[in-house]
Short mmCIF file of all heavy atoms in Angstrom, two decimals:
data_model
loop_
_atom_site.label_atom_id
_atom_site.label_comp_id
_atom_site.label_asym_id
_atom_site.label_seq_id
_atom_site.Cartn_x
_atom_site.Cartn_y
_atom_site.Cartn_z
N ASP A 940 -22.03 29.92 -23.48
CA ASP A 940 -20.88 30.66 -22.91
C ASP A 940 -20.61 30.06 -21.48
O ASP A 940 -19.59 30.58 -20.80
CB ASP A 940 -21.10 32.13 -22.80
CG ASP A 940 -21.27 32.73 -24.10
OD1 ASP A 940 -20.60 32.36 -25.08
OD2 ASP A 940 -22.19 33.63 -24.23
N PHE A 941 -21.31 29.14 -20.92
CA PHE A 941 -21.02 28.67 -19.62
C PHE A 941 -21.23 27.14 -19.51
O PHE A 941 -21.92 26.55 -20.34
CB PHE A 941 -21.89 29.43 -18.63
CG PHE A 941 -23.32 28.93 -18.65
CD1 PHE A 941 -23.80 27.92 -17.76
CD2 PHE A 941 -24.32 29.44 -19.54
CE1 PHE A 941 -25.06 27.49 -17.84
CE2 PHE A 941 -25.57 29.07 -19.62
CZ PHE A 941 -25.96 28.07 -18.66
N ARG A 942 -20.76 26.59 -18.48
CA ARG A 942 -20.91 25.18 -18.13
C ARG A 942 -20.80 25.09 -16.61
O ARG A 942 -19.89 25.54 -15.94
CB ARG A 942 -19.79 24.35 -18.74
CG ARG A 942 -19.98 22.91 -18.50
CD ARG A 942 -18.94 22.08 -19.36
NE ARG A 942 -18.84 20.76 -18.92
CZ ARG A 942 -17.67 20.19 -18.51
NH1 ARG A 942 -16.58 20.85 -18.65
NH2 ARG A 942 -17.64 18.91 -18.18
N TRP A 944 -21.41 22.20 -13.38
CA TRP A 944 -21.68 20.76 -13.16
C TRP A 944 -21.31 20.44 -11.73
O TRP A 944 -20.61 21.10 -10.99
CB TRP A 944 -20.88 19.94 -14.06
CG TRP A 944 -19.39 19.89 -13.94
CD1 TRP A 944 -18.59 18.99 -13.30
CD2 TRP A 944 -18.55 20.84 -14.54
NE1 TRP A 944 -17.36 19.42 -13.39
CE2 TRP A 944 -17.18 20.46 -14.18
CE3 TRP A 944 -18.67 21.98 -15.27
CZ2 TRP A 944 -16.09 21.24 -14.62
CZ3 TRP A 944 -17.59 22.74 -15.75
CH2 TRP A 944 -16.25 22.27 -15.37
N GLU A 1085 -18.50 22.78 -9.78
CA GLU A 1085 -17.57 23.57 -10.55
C GLU A 1085 -18.29 24.21 -11.72
O GLU A 1085 -19.33 23.70 -12.15
CB GLU A 1085 -16.47 22.59 -11.06
CG GLU A 1085 -15.41 23.37 -11.77
CD GLU A 1085 -14.18 22.54 -12.12
OE1 GLU A 1085 -14.20 21.33 -11.72
OE2 GLU A 1085 -13.32 23.00 -12.83
N GLY A 1086 -17.75 25.31 -12.16
CA GLY A 1086 -18.36 26.02 -13.37
C GLY A 1086 -17.46 27.07 -13.88
O GLY A 1086 -16.50 27.44 -13.18
N HIS A 1087 -17.64 27.42 -15.16
CA HIS A 1087 -16.90 28.45 -15.73
C HIS A 1087 -17.79 29.18 -16.67
O HIS A 1087 -18.80 28.71 -17.24
CB HIS A 1087 -15.54 27.97 -16.39
CG HIS A 1087 -15.81 26.95 -17.53
ND1 HIS A 1087 -15.54 25.65 -17.51
CD2 HIS A 1087 -16.49 27.06 -18.72
CE1 HIS A 1087 -15.77 25.04 -18.54
NE2 HIS A 1087 -16.41 25.94 -19.35
N TYR A 1088 -17.36 30.49 -16.93
CA TYR A 1088 -18.10 31.32 -17.89
C TYR A 1088 -17.10 32.03 -18.75
O TYR A 1088 -16.21 32.59 -18.37
CB TYR A 1088 -18.87 32.35 -17.12
CG TYR A 1088 -19.97 33.04 -17.83
CD1 TYR A 1088 -21.25 32.66 -17.76
CD2 TYR A 1088 -19.67 34.11 -18.70
CE1 TYR A 1088 -22.29 33.25 -18.58
CE2 TYR A 1088 -20.67 34.74 -19.46
CZ TYR A 1088 -21.98 34.27 -19.36
OH TYR A 1088 -23.01 34.86 -20.06
N ASP A 1089 -17.43 31.92 -20.13
CA ASP A 1089 -16.57 32.63 -21.13
C ASP A 1089 -17.12 34.03 -21.44
O ASP A 1089 -18.27 34.15 -21.93
CB ASP A 1089 -16.62 31.76 -22.47
CG ASP A 1089 -15.59 32.26 -23.44
OD1 ASP A 1089 -15.05 33.40 -23.30
OD2 ASP A 1089 -15.31 31.49 -24.43
N LEU A 1090 -16.35 35.08 -21.11
CA LEU A 1090 -16.82 36.48 -21.26
C LEU A 1090 -16.36 37.10 -22.47
O LEU A 1090 -16.43 38.30 -22.65
CB LEU A 1090 -16.37 37.26 -20.01
CG LEU A 1090 -16.95 36.80 -18.64
CD1 LEU A 1090 -16.20 37.55 -17.53
CD2 LEU A 1090 -18.44 37.22 -18.60
N SER A 1091 -15.81 36.29 -23.37
CA SER A 1091 -15.20 36.76 -24.60
C SER A 1091 -16.22 37.60 -25.49
O SER A 1091 -15.79 38.52 -26.16
CB SER A 1091 -14.62 35.68 -25.42
OG SER A 1091 -13.62 34.96 -24.76
N VAL A 1094 -16.55 40.94 -23.52
CA VAL A 1094 -15.23 41.69 -23.53
C VAL A 1094 -14.56 41.37 -24.81
O VAL A 1094 -13.74 40.43 -24.84
CB VAL A 1094 -14.45 41.36 -22.35
CG1 VAL A 1094 -13.16 42.24 -22.23
CG2 VAL A 1094 -15.25 41.45 -20.97
N ASP A 1098 -9.80 37.55 -25.00
CA ASP A 1098 -10.41 36.34 -24.52
C ASP A 1098 -10.41 36.27 -23.02
O ASP A 1098 -9.31 36.35 -22.47
CB ASP A 1098 -9.81 35.00 -25.13
CG ASP A 1098 -9.86 35.05 -26.70
OD1 ASP A 1098 -10.81 35.58 -27.21
OD2 ASP A 1098 -9.06 34.47 -27.28
N LEU A 1099 -11.51 36.02 -22.37
CA LEU A 1099 -11.60 36.01 -20.93
C LEU A 1099 -12.50 34.91 -20.41
O LEU A 1099 -13.64 34.81 -20.83
CB LEU A 1099 -12.07 37.33 -20.39
CG LEU A 1099 -12.27 37.50 -18.84
CD1 LEU A 1099 -10.88 37.30 -18.19
CD2 LEU A 1099 -12.87 38.78 -18.50
N LEU A 1100 -11.90 34.07 -19.56
CA LEU A 1100 -12.63 32.91 -18.99
C LEU A 1100 -12.51 32.96 -17.47
O LEU A 1100 -11.38 33.10 -16.99
CB LEU A 1100 -12.05 31.62 -19.52
CG LEU A 1100 -12.75 30.22 -19.09
CD1 LEU A 1100 -14.17 30.15 -19.68
CD2 LEU A 1100 -11.92 29.07 -19.42
N VAL A 1101 -13.59 32.87 -16.76
CA VAL A 1101 -13.55 32.86 -15.29
C VAL A 1101 -14.31 31.58 -14.83
O VAL A 1101 -15.14 31.03 -15.49
CB VAL A 1101 -14.24 34.09 -14.70
CG1 VAL A 1101 -13.41 35.35 -15.08
CG2 VAL A 1101 -15.69 34.16 -15.11
N GLY A 1102 -13.91 31.08 -13.58
CA GLY A 1102 -14.63 30.00 -13.05
C GLY A 1102 -14.18 29.67 -11.58
O GLY A 1102 -13.36 30.45 -11.05
N GLY A 1103 -14.79 28.65 -11.03
CA GLY A 1103 -14.53 28.33 -9.65
C GLY A 1103 -14.94 26.96 -9.39
O GLY A 1103 -15.72 26.34 -10.11
N ASN A 1104 -14.60 26.46 -8.13
CA ASN A 1104 -15.05 25.09 -7.72
C ASN A 1104 -15.11 25.04 -6.26
O ASN A 1104 -14.47 25.82 -5.53
CB ASN A 1104 -14.08 24.03 -8.32
CG ASN A 1104 -12.68 24.12 -7.69
OD1 ASN A 1104 -11.98 24.93 -8.10
ND2 ASN A 1104 -12.42 23.29 -6.68
N GLY A 1130 -11.80 27.00 -4.83
CA GLY A 1130 -10.82 27.74 -5.72
C GLY A 1130 -11.58 28.57 -6.79
O GLY A 1130 -12.76 28.32 -7.03
N ALA A 1131 -10.83 29.49 -7.36
CA ALA A 1131 -11.47 30.39 -8.41
C ALA A 1131 -10.27 30.80 -9.27
O ALA A 1131 -9.14 30.87 -8.93
CB ALA A 1131 -12.14 31.58 -7.83
N PHE A 1132 -10.67 31.04 -10.57
CA PHE A 1132 -9.66 31.48 -11.51
C PHE A 1132 -10.11 32.41 -12.60
O PHE A 1132 -11.32 32.53 -12.79
CB PHE A 1132 -9.04 30.22 -12.21
CG PHE A 1132 -9.95 29.61 -13.31
CD1 PHE A 1132 -9.89 30.06 -14.64
CD2 PHE A 1132 -10.91 28.75 -12.94
CE1 PHE A 1132 -10.76 29.57 -15.52
CE2 PHE A 1132 -11.80 28.16 -13.91
CZ PHE A 1132 -11.69 28.63 -15.16
N ALA A 1133 -9.25 33.15 -13.14
CA ALA A 1133 -9.50 33.96 -14.33
C ALA A 1133 -8.35 33.77 -15.31
O ALA A 1133 -7.19 33.72 -14.98
CB ALA A 1133 -9.54 35.45 -13.99
N GLN A 1134 -8.78 33.55 -16.59
CA GLN A 1134 -7.74 33.30 -17.63
C GLN A 1134 -7.99 34.15 -18.83
O GLN A 1134 -9.10 34.27 -19.27
CB GLN A 1134 -7.93 31.82 -18.06
CG GLN A 1134 -6.95 31.30 -19.14
CD GLN A 1134 -7.13 29.86 -19.49
OE1 GLN A 1134 -6.92 29.01 -18.62
NE2 GLN A 1134 -7.58 29.57 -20.71
N THR A 1135 -6.94 34.71 -19.43
CA THR A 1135 -7.03 35.63 -20.52
C THR A 1135 -6.03 35.17 -21.63
O THR A 1135 -5.10 34.56 -21.37
CB THR A 1135 -6.74 37.02 -20.04
OG1 THR A 1135 -5.30 37.19 -19.71
CG2 THR A 1135 -7.64 37.51 -18.94
N LEU A 1150 -4.74 33.51 -13.36
CA LEU A 1150 -4.50 33.74 -11.89
C LEU A 1150 -5.58 32.86 -11.27
O LEU A 1150 -6.71 32.93 -11.52
CB LEU A 1150 -4.68 35.20 -11.53
CG LEU A 1150 -4.53 35.44 -10.02
CD1 LEU A 1150 -3.02 35.15 -9.55
CD2 LEU A 1150 -4.82 36.98 -9.68
N ARG A 1151 -5.05 32.07 -10.25
CA ARG A 1151 -5.88 31.15 -9.58
C ARG A 1151 -5.70 31.30 -8.07
O ARG A 1151 -4.62 31.63 -7.54
CB ARG A 1151 -5.70 29.67 -9.96
CG ARG A 1151 -6.63 28.68 -9.34
CD ARG A 1151 -6.40 27.28 -9.75
NE ARG A 1151 -7.31 26.42 -9.04
CZ ARG A 1151 -8.55 26.18 -9.46
NH1 ARG A 1151 -9.07 26.55 -10.60
NH2 ARG A 1151 -9.33 25.38 -8.72
#
Side-chain angles (χ1 to χ4, degrees):
D940 300 320
F941 75 93
R942 180 173 167 235
W944 66 98
E1085 186 171 353
H1087 61 245
Y1088 197 97
D1089 188 347
L1090 295 169
S1091 300
V1094 185
D1098 296 334
L1099 178 60
L1100 182 70
V1101 296
N1104 68 277
F1132 74 90
Q1134 176 179 301
T1135 64
L1150 179 65
R1151 183 177 178 91

